[in-house]
Amino acid sequence: MKTLLRQTNRGIDLFNRLIGWGLAGLLLVMTVLIFWQVFARFVVGRPLYFSDEIARFAMIWLTFIGAGYAYRKGLMISVDIVLEFAGPRLARVMRVLVVLASALFAFILVKYGFEMVGRVANQTAPSTRVSMMWPYLAVPLGGIVILVNSVALLIDEVTGHKKEERG
């Protein structure tokens, strides 16, 4: 059973590696667009009409997908002073409760996020004329990333796999 759980975690880690590369690509696109916008506005004198909107959409995707990625890596801000004073058994129970609460929040993001995507699918962005479904789709997909990583964190607790061993 532990072997299956560890293989599942390896699959989730591969998923996160791909997510990380996607986030790096989004950051690169955002950086290039913003740089080009500043260059076009102040050097060429003809600003781009679409770059700030695409950069804003990329920032939305970075935020929601990046939250799930950071959650798995243990990079989210937390108050863990209680865990330091609790015994190992109580600390483990508290970590599981936090992961379950996060999974519940992610489920809500997914459920209502897809409903919201359906409501805005007919609207278009002013500059690019792209359906507003695309920026809003980051909300439920970010929730899915958090849910997947919640499963991985629960597996870590069951198997005793430490955060430091994951790298």
Side-chain angles (χ1 to χ4, degrees):
M1 183 67 169
K2 277 192 174 185
T3 305
L4 177 65
L5 292 175
R6 286 193 175 142
Q7 287 175 343
T8 302
N9 252 3
R10 278 191 223 113
I12 292 172
D13 287 340
L14 175 63
F15 170 75
N16 279 321
R17 209 169 299 125
L18 294 172
I19 293 285
W21 281 106
L23 291 171
L26 275 174
L27 185 61
L28 177 66
V29 165
M30 209 172 91
T31 303
V32 168
L33 281 172
I34 292 171
F35 174 79
W36 190 254
Q37 170 69 2
V38 170
F39 180 80
R41 180 179 303 264
F42 294 110
V43 176
V44 179
R46 297 191 66 185
L48 301 174
Y49 66 92
F50 63 89
S51 63
D52 58 336
E53 195 168 90
I54 294 174
R56 193 175 323 121
F57 293 165
M59 176 67 84
I60 292 167
W61 277 81
L62 274 169
T63 302
F64 281 96
I65 305 299
Y69 180 80
Y71 180 55
R72 171 73 172 125
K73 299 288 184 182
L75 300 173
M76 301 294 281
I77 191 166
S78 67
V79 180
D80 57 357
I81 192 162
V82 176
L83 292 177
E84 290 180 23
F85 291 109
R89 188 177 183 122
L90 180 60
R92 187 176 210 177
V93 168
M94 290 174 68
R95 282 192 302 269
V96 167
L97 289 174
V98 166
V99 170
L100 291 174
S102 298
L104 176 64
F105 172 72
F107 177 76
I108 291 168
L109 279 178
V110 172
K111 182 180 183 320
Y112 293 106
F114 278 121
E115 287 179 15
M116 185 173 55
V117 166
R119 277 189 239 122
V120 299
N122 295 329
Q123 298 175 14
T124 57
S127 297
T128 59
R129 307 304 298 164
V130 170
S131 171
M132 289 304 289
M133 171 190 76
W134 294 108
Y136 279 88
L137 193 59
V139 175
L141 293 183
I144 290 171
V145 173
I146 293 171
L147 275 173
V148 168
N149 285 317
S150 294
V151 169
L153 291 170
L154 286 174
I155 290 172
D156 285 346
E157 286 300 322
V158 168
T159 61
H161 202 233
K162 301 287 184 217
K163 196 171 21 177
E164 297 80 28
E165 294 172 12
R166 269 197 329 263

